[in-house]
Amino acid sequence: MKDLILKLEENKNLTDYEFKKLIECCDNEVVKFLHNRARIVSQKVYGNKIYIRGLIEFTNYCKNDCYYCGIRKSNSNASRYRLTKDQILECCDIGYQLGFRTFVLQGGEDGFFTDEKLVDIISSIKSKYSDCALTLSIGEKSRSSYQSFYDAGADRFLLRHETADKTHYKKLHPDNLSLENRMNCLYDLKDIGYQVGSGFMVGSPFQTVDTIIKDLKFLKELNPQMVGIGPFIPHKDTKFCNETSGSVELTLKLLSIVRLMIPNALIPATTALGTADSNGREKGVLAGANVIMPNLSPMDVRSKYLLYNNKKYTGDEASESVNNLKISMKKIGYDVVVDRGDYRTI
Ligand code: 5AD
């Protein structure tokens, strides 16, 4: 099995059968070897640095109805909010002082925020914080909208593909959403010049080893600059409320595999991983992650941006606790740095 891991590290493709063997392998020693190799590869590119991103969840209104998501349109129990431009800028201000040099504007697909409004917010942030990177995570838009946000100064865009299997995609999303459009968006974003992030949930309902293999192969082909992988966690107000959460072990395994396949990727130890396991973030870093995205949203809205149950937003997930984060990373041999943390091509 170790030969497969080394093969991946040498940038060689695995067959579907080999991927399956590796994904299903539960031998502790092999899994440890996989995480170690992934960590070594991450350190070769990014050293022992951990990049932090300040996550600003600026709206939980969403016109979509993704079956897994707590802020889906038809969840009438969700208490909806939007931040004003001033509130967003205030988040950046607080974040800047805490040492953040990347801000991530994340939100549901909210028609209130027209292109014009978004362009205004983006250009205001970029002119005030010209040494910072700005990441958008605002869903599917037209190519011309993506272009105007890029022209306004946005540097990066996160859009998880969620699953690279058409049939699986249909089981997670209503009919008006398609994998094809999602993928087109990702290729548009890359083409425009964004640093692009994609990714998927681990253990989402109807996921199989075969769909995971498709996810890995799609990521290899897209070759994104960032990859977000976190366990699926059910939300009580969705039709998947009684499904089981994704496995932390499998998430870590896939994180390591992605690190070996895309050595230069910026890979977060996600909030979902930190929610599913109290040491999730450390485990993520030790499996090859090099990014953490603490929550910078105003305290009174954090409890409203609930994509899944028990989502963490206090304690170490909070930007205010960045000092604790520094300490916990130091303990495992990593330095949280004040840096934009751009993609490296070496
Ligand atoms: N569990 C875990 N992750 C989720 N996301 C949405 N809902 C859930 C859930 N129930 C993830 C999706 C989305 C990202 C912002 O959050 O992958 O792309």
Side-chain angles (χ1 to χ4, degrees):
M1 202 64 81
K2 289 185 181 171
D3 55 324
L4 296 184
I5 295 167
L6 295 172
K7 200 170 156 189
L8 263 189
E9 191 178 332
E10 286 159 20
N11 200 21
K12 294 193 187 118
N13 291 329
L14 299 190
T15 64
D16 286 10
Y17 176 70
E18 289 172 330
F19 266 129
K20 197 172 159 71
K21 267 190 12 190
L22 189 55
I23 292 166
E24 287 179 340
C25 172
C26 286
D27 182 324
N28 271 335
E29 204 203 319
V30 174
V31 174
K32 223 166 152 185
F33 182 75
L34 172 67
H35 294 327
N36 283 342
R37 291 318 304 170
R39 202 160 69 226
I40 288 165
V41 167
S42 176
Q43 291 188 2
K44 256 189 216 160
V45 184
Y46 292 102
N48 69 337
K49 291 186 170 67
I50 297 295
Y51 300 121
I52 49 171
R53 323 296 198 194
L55 185 62
I56 305 169
E57 297 155 336
F58 71 103
T59 172
N60 71 350
Y61 282 86
C62 191
K63 67 174 189 224
N64 291 329
D65 230 349
C66 307
Y67 302 148
Y68 46 83
C69 184
I71 63 166
R72 57 186 303 218
K73 174 183 162 190
S74 64
N75 180 10
S76 54
N77 289 329
S79 152
R80 306 286 173 174
Y81 73 92
R82 293 183 178 107
L83 300 186
T84 62
K85 179 183 164 188
D86 284 349
Q87 283 178 302
I88 294 171
L89 285 166
E90 199 179 324
C91 292
C92 297
D93 209 47
I94 294 167
Y96 193 89
Q97 291 173 45
L98 288 169
F100 289 89
R101 295 296 177 268
T102 291
F103 303 118
V104 182
L105 284 184
Q106 184 174 91
E109 293 193 20
D110 179 2
F112 171 85
F113 288 97
T114 57
D115 288 3
E116 202 187 344
K117 285 202 181 91
L118 286 167
V119 162
D120 176 47
I121 292 168
I122 294 163
S123 46
S124 301
I125 293 176
K126 287 295 290 194
S127 65
K128 205 162 170 210
Y129 305 97
S130 54
D131 56 337
C132 293
L134 183 57
T135 305
L136 302 178
S137 176
I138 54 175
E140 297 178 21
K141 305 270 178 186
S142 68
R143 181 173 176 131
S144 63
S145 299
Y146 286 149
Q147 184 70 56
S148 56
F149 306 149
Y150 187 75
D151 295 340
D155 304 275
R156 310 185 188 133
F157 204 105
L158 303 176
L159 185 73
R160 290 189 179 173
H161 67 279
E162 312 296 1
T163 171
D165 180 271
K166 247 187 185 159
T167 316
H168 187 208
Y169 199 91
K170 284 283 166 215
K171 290 182 178 167
L172 298 180
H173 302 96
D175 271 347
N176 65 318
L177 296 174
S178 73
L179 178 59
E180 195 190 356
N181 194 55
R182 195 100 180 153
M183 289 185 170
N184 286 339
C185 287
L186 284 163
Y187 285 110
D188 281 344
L189 289 162
K190 265 206 115 180
D191 204 38
I192 289 168
Y194 283 97
Q195 295 176 42
V196 172
S198 198
F200 60 97
M201 292 175 285
V202 175
S204 60
F206 311 107
Q207 185 177 60
T208 63
V209 176
D210 289 332
T211 66
I212 292 174
I213 294 170
K214 284 190 183 175
D215 289 321
L216 296 174
K217 290 206 252 184
F218 170 68
L219 286 171
K220 180 79 186 169
E221 185 200 302
L222 177 69
N223 193 27
Q225 287 85 1
M226 303 168 279
V227 181
I229 300 175
F232 160 77
I233 303 172
H235 185 287
K236 62 178 176 42
D237 299 321
T238 64
K239 74 171 185 185
F240 295 148
C241 57
N242 293 322
E243 301 287 334
T244 44
S245 291
S247 135
V248 169
E249 284 68 34
L250 182 57
T251 304
L252 295 169
K253 220 192 282 179
L254 292 168
L255 196 159
S256 293
I257 291 175
V258 169
R259 167 62 70 203
L260 295 179
M261 292 175 74
I262 315 178
N264 297 23
L266 293 152
I267 303 180
T270 56
T271 305
L273 188 56
T275 298
D277 184 313
S278 55
N279 291 317
R281 285 184 326 185
E282 287 84 350
K283 289 182 183 174
V285 168
L286 293 173
N290 65 332
V291 169
I292 292 180
M293 301 169 68
N295 197 320
L296 249 189
S297 311
M299 201 43 105
D300 59 314
V301 304
R302 284 188 200 172
S303 61
K304 298 179 180 164
Y305 200 86
L306 291 186
L307 306 181
Y308 41 84
N309 287 344
N310 307 315
K311 179 170 165 252
K312 276 204 181 167
Y313 51 84
T314 54
D316 282 1
E317 292 301 324
S319 55
E320 304 78 48
S321 311
V322 75
N323 274 328
N324 292 346
L325 180 64
K326 284 180 191 159
I327 294 166
S328 58
M329 288 298 128
K330 196 82 210 164
K331 272 192 192 149
I332 56 169
Y334 286 80
D335 283 333
V336 172
V337 291
V338 177
D339 193 307
R340 278 173 51 119
D342 281 299
Y343 178 72
R344 288 198 193 163
T345 45
I346 60 124

